[in-house]
Amino acid sequence: MIIRDMISEDIPELAGLMATTSTWIRYGTTLESASNTLQSLLEQAKNPDACECIVAENDGEAVGFIVLQHGAMFGMSSYVKLVGVRQDTRGQGCGSMLMEAAEHSALSRGPNVFLLTSDFNQQAIRFYENLGYQRVGAIKDYVVSGIDEILYRKTRGPLRT
Ligand SMILES: CC(C)(COP(=O)(O)OP(=O)(O)OC[C@H]1O[C@@H](n2cnc3c(N)ncnc32)[C@H](O)[C@@H]1OP(=O)(O)O)[C@@H](O)C(=O)NCCC(=O)NCCS
């Protein structure tokens, strides 16, 4: 498994991953909307101080990805916007490798990393808590009605010492 920057050729495969993942389907994600989202994020990643799109590649195929935005939480901290691993590759450490790559970059810029996860996504909640993320709280009906977004934070300390 190698970790590398995302390129536009990865988008069809990764949009397919998103459009077939139950978490994103509940938010109305389609192949087209996923493709548009990834294209837009890849455009933002032309400035790596704003956004990074990272891919896990196995046997020449993109099997997972993570998108990190800098200065995105209250304009002060990095935020993991998206992370996903292909169904047949889950549970083999790929998601953890992607998170490690993102955190390495985020924590070199500041002491906090934030992310949101859906209240129903127990697998992701366990995954993040195992990685040391602490629950900040629930944001009710934030993205769609009927789903709370749970804010998580990993911290090395306050912004100012
Ligand atoms: C959440 C997600 C990214 C995790 O990716 P992953 O590649 O399965 O993550 P890992 O393999 O690193 O860790 C997952 C589990 O496998 C275990 N694991 C890690 N390395 C392992 C290995 N080499 N062999 C077997 N199991 C392993 C971990 O302990 C972890 O256990 P847990 O289920 O108790 O948390 C993945 O499940 C996913 O894509 N979900 C759908 C999309 C989604 O919900 N994204 C998050 C919200 S945006």
Side-chain angles (χ1 to χ4, degrees):
M1 189 102 58
I2 62 165
I3 300 293
R4 61 164 173 79
D5 288 339
M6 191 186 293
I7 55 173
S8 56
E9 286 76 7
D10 296 320
I11 289 179
E13 201 155 10
L14 296 176
L17 188 169
M18 288 182 71
T20 54
T21 295
S22 58
T23 310
W24 286 308
I25 291 170
R26 282 195 61 176
Y27 289 86
T29 298
T30 62
L31 198 55
E32 192 185 2
S33 71
S35 178
N36 290 339
T37 298
L38 291 171
Q39 259 160 26
S40 154
L41 290 166
L42 201 50
E43 190 61 32
Q44 291 175 39
K46 285 182 178 166
N47 176 5
D49 287 328
C51 179
E52 293 180 68
C53 299
I54 300 167
V55 159
E57 180 185 312
N58 197 24
D59 287 338
E61 289 182 20
V63 293
F65 73 105
I66 192 163
V67 176
L68 180 69
Q69 290 181 319
H70 298 297
M73 273 314 281
F74 320 114
M76 293 190 282
S77 297
S78 301
Y79 164 65
V80 175
K81 185 176 176 62
L82 294 170
V83 56
V85 171
R86 216 167 67 180
Q87 185 111 37
D88 62 3
T89 311
R90 289 180 199 160
Q92 298 171 34
C94 181
S96 304
M97 279 175 72
L98 287 164
M99 291 293 292
E100 195 181 315
E103 286 171 13
H104 180 75
S105 174
L107 294 173
S108 72
R109 293 162 195 267
N112 292 283
V113 192
F114 287 88
L115 56 84
L116 290 174
T117 188
S118 322
D119 58 0
F120 62 82
N121 197 346
Q122 288 308 318
Q123 186 190 24
I125 286 172
R126 201 172 57 236
F127 173 72
Y128 296 134
E129 289 183 352
N130 283 345
L131 291 174
Y133 285 78
Q134 292 169 335
R135 183 187 162 114
V136 177
I139 310 176
K140 208 162 180 48
D141 299 332
Y142 182 50
V143 181
V144 296
S145 180
I147 300 176
D148 293 353
E149 301 301 318
I150 315 295
L151 180 62
Y152 273 88
R153 172 192 184 207
K154 187 168 192 169
T155 185
R156 297 251 165 96
L159 291 172
R160 295 187 193 162
T161 50

